[in-house]
Amino acid sequence: MTHYPFVPFDSQRYEPEEMWRRADAFHELMDRRRSIRHFSGEPVPRELIETAIRTASTAPSGAHRQPWRFVVIGDPAIKHEIRVAAEAEERKTYEQRMPDEWLQALAPLGVDWHKPFLEIVPWIVVVFEELYGFYPDGRKRKNYYVRESVGIACGMFITALHQMGLATLTHTPSPMGFLREILGRPKNEKPYILFPVGYPAPEAEVPDLERKTLDEVAIWDPRPER
Ligand code: IYR
C-alpha cells in the first residue's frame, strides 16, 4: 500500500473577536434555514448546484472513499416520472404502511402523499450511497461508514444551498428503489435521499416550530454514579 504524500495543513486561525463574530453569524444564518415544501419554478443556474455539490463533496468519509453520488435532474419529463412514482409509493405509505403513531407524529406538519414540488422545482438532486466500488480487476472493493459519510455530505449540501439563498427539503419517498430504475443507476448504488432544490415560493409558509434549547441537546462532562 502506498501512502498519500503528506503536505502542511493550510490552517486558518482567527483572533478571538473574529471567532465570536463568525460563530454567531453562522449560527444566525443556519437558524434561519427551514425545510420548504412550496417552491417557485424560477430557474436556478446549474453552476450553483455544481458548487453546492462540490461543497458537499468536501465532507469527510470512511477511508476517504467519498461514497456519494449526486444525480441531478433538470429534465421536466424525468421530474414528471419521479413525481408519479414517488406519489404512488407515498400514497401507499400514508394510506397503508404508516402505523397510527407515525401518522400522528406527522399530523402537526401538514404533510401528505401529494408531492407537486417534484415537478415545480428547477432541480431535483437524488443522492445515492455507493455501497461498494470495484478494483481494476473487477473485484468488489468495500466502502466504509457509507451511511455516516453520505449523511454528513448531505448536511453540507443543505448548508451550501442555504448559504447561497436556495431552499430544499429532505424528501425520502419510501421505498426509494424506483429512483435507481428511473435514473438507471448501477446495483452498487442505493438511493439515500432526494432533494428538491429551488427558490422558495413567495407565499411559502413553514410550521412555527421551536428548536430544542442548548441544554436539551448538549451534555457537558457527565459523571454518572458508578
Ligand atoms: N417520506 C414521507 C413521509 C415523511 C416522514 C417523515 I419522519 C417526515 O418528517 C416527513 C414526511 C414524505 O416525504 O412525505
Side-chain angles (χ1 to χ4, degrees):
M1 264 297 116
T2 53
H3 284 69
Y4 289 112
F6 275 61
V7 292
F9 173 51
D10 182 18
S11 69
Q12 185 63 270
R13 175 103 200 207
Y14 305 103
E15 293 303 318
E17 286 297 309
E18 177 64 1
M19 286 176 84
W20 294 123
R21 199 196 59 73
R22 294 176 65 95
D24 287 341
F26 195 60
H27 170 248
E28 271 167 39
L29 172 75
M30 292 313 295
D31 201 26
R32 290 203 308 274
R33 185 208 57 80
R34 295 299 306 266
S35 291
I36 292 290
R37 288 186 169 78
H38 300 102
F39 290 87
S40 146
E42 194 181 339
V44 167
R46 172 188 164 128
E47 291 71 23
L48 291 176
I49 308 300
E50 289 178 355
T51 301
I53 296 173
R54 275 201 203 96
T55 300
S57 208
T58 66
S61 63
H64 191 52
R65 290 288 158 80
Q66 301 168 269
W68 42 72
R69 294 290 179 280
F70 290 79
V71 179
V72 188
I73 298 103
D75 180 339
I78 307 177
K79 285 188 238 171
H80 176 72
E81 218 181 317
I82 291 177
R83 177 188 179 178
V84 169
E87 286 188 333
E89 289 295 3
E90 288 288 271
R91 186 168 190 172
K92 266 189 240 160
T93 298
Y94 278 85
E95 291 180 354
Q96 297 165 30
R97 297 173 182 140
M98 279 182 181
D100 267 354
E101 188 180 3
W102 193 350
L103 289 170
Q104 277 167 28
L106 292 184
L109 298 170
V111 294
D112 61 27
W113 61 265
H114 296 93
K115 308 294 174 192
F117 54 77
L118 292 173
E119 286 193 88
I120 292 169
V121 284
W123 302 103
I124 291 176
V125 179
V126 183
V127 184
F128 285 75
E129 35 183 342
E130 188 195 58
L131 302 173
Y132 53 87
F134 296 95
Y135 289 104
D137 67 3
R139 277 180 308 126
K140 284 184 188 174
R141 182 186 195 230
K142 229 179 119 38
N143 284 336
Y144 303 94
Y145 297 101
V146 172
R147 302 229 92 194
E148 292 84 348
S149 305
V150 178
I152 295 167
C154 287
M156 293 173 62
F157 183 63
I158 294 168
T159 306
L161 292 172
H162 178 65
Q163 208 270 343
M164 58 179 80
L166 292 174
T168 189
L169 165 72
T170 48
H171 179 40
T172 49
S174 156
M176 285 199 281
F178 69 89
L179 290 167
R180 178 155 60 196
E181 276 145 49
I182 291 178
L183 301 172
R185 301 308 302 165
K187 276 220 185 65
N188 62 327
E189 292 181 17
K190 186 174 167 208
Y192 181 82
I193 209 161
L194 181 159
F195 294 112
V197 182
Y199 296 99
E203 72 280 9
E205 291 188 341
V206 293
D208 190 12
L209 305 177
E210 279 184 15
R211 302 198 197 278
K212 287 184 179 170
T213 63
L214 181 64
D215 283 347
E216 288 174 289
V217 299
I219 295 104
W220 308 79
D221 292 333
R223 294 195 190 283
E225 296 297 322
R226 269 189 259 264

